[in-house]
Amino acid sequence: MLKTEPIRKRRLYERVAEQIEASILAGDLAPGELLPAERDLCDSFGVSRTAIREALFALQQNGLIELENGKRARVVEPSAARLIDELGGPARYVLSRPESLRQLQEARMMFESFLARNAARNVTPEGLARISGALERNRAAIGDREAFVQTNIEFHLEIARVSGNMFLESLHEAVQTWLAEHRRTAIRDPGATERAYQRHEQIFAAIQAGDADAAEEAMRLHLEESTAAYWHVRDPS
């Protein structure tokens, strides 16, 4: 049940949003539950429809509700994916600068090397089967650049999923999105496809053997080669 009290301060919509957010965080409003109609919210809070609409828009921006024309606002389950997705626009702007892109490539190398190490230590038979299936699809895509890029992403994602940590998975997906241009550029370097697949085989073999050091090293070498291929294509001089 939504708990309200009259709003009589400046920035009314912020106070409205704070109260609705408090009800969501306290569990009084559960994911999937509909908020009262705008008119009812106006009456409950004692504010104008404009203040209610601004409050609902703010809550939507924060990933707490979803709005559809002609429908009541619905509470949604906050997720790491929603949180990280908010960084998409600023990330693309920052990564338009070569030095920032180099730093992300370096961060990715450390991050994915950790994920490979974790996978070697913790992968289940089911997880290993998913990684193996992604590797096979990656092999079958050799010769088709776009298909190879997509199956490459799937292979790395299955390794990230071994963690079972929604923040690590979501961060991994965000990095893959931010580096989409990196992948499509790097794959144009002569021999890049074959080198990438060979490294994938080595990574998988190390994970399968439970050799965390070897998995980490293979991933590091793989991403070093991928980064070098990207800059070789982008700046061949």
Side-chain angles (χ1 to χ4, degrees), residues 19-172:
Q19 287 194 38
I20 296 176
E21 179 176 347
S23 290
I24 293 173
L25 297 179
D28 298 322
L29 290 169
E33 188 171 346
L34 296 174
L35 267 64
E38 285 186 4
R39 180 176 298 177
D40 294 331
L41 289 171
C42 291
D43 293 340
S44 296
F45 287 106
V47 299
S48 68
R49 181 164 289 186
T50 297
I52 292 298
R53 289 178 175 174
E54 289 178 346
L56 294 179
F57 180 74
L59 291 166
Q60 181 186 44
Q61 292 296 101
N62 289 336
L64 295 174
I65 66 171
E66 61 181 10
L67 299 174
E68 294 185 45
N69 289 334
K71 296 183 179 181
R72 289 158 56 188
R74 182 187 300 274
V75 178
V76 297
E77 182 76 46
S79 68
R82 285 177 178 269
L83 175 65
I84 292 171
D85 188 56
E86 293 294 321
L87 300 175
R92 285 188 291 274
Y93 173 75
V94 171
L95 295 178
S96 65
R97 305 171 183 178
E99 184 54 37
S100 297
L101 177 56
R102 288 183 185 277
Q103 290 184 20
L104 179 59
Q105 289 167 334
E106 181 181 5
R108 178 200 176 196
M109 189 182 308
M110 292 186 285
F111 177 53
E112 291 212 47
S113 295
F114 161 76
L115 291 176
R117 167 174 284 276
N118 176 75
R121 287 176 169 175
N122 300 303
V123 71
T124 63
E126 294 78 11
L128 191 64
R130 289 195 297 271
I131 298 172
S132 177
L135 179 64
E136 176 55 30
R137 290 189 293 276
N138 190 228
R139 184 199 63 76
I142 293 175
D144 183 336
R145 283 182 180 173
E146 186 57 32
F148 189 84
V149 167
Q150 292 304 317
T151 55
N152 188 347
I153 292 172
E154 291 173 13
F155 175 75
H156 285 260
L157 180 56
E158 290 300 344
I159 292 173
R161 283 176 174 157
V162 172
S163 70
N165 184 307
M166 68 175 182
F167 285 96
L168 290 178
E169 290 182 38
S170 297
L171 181 57
H172 181 273

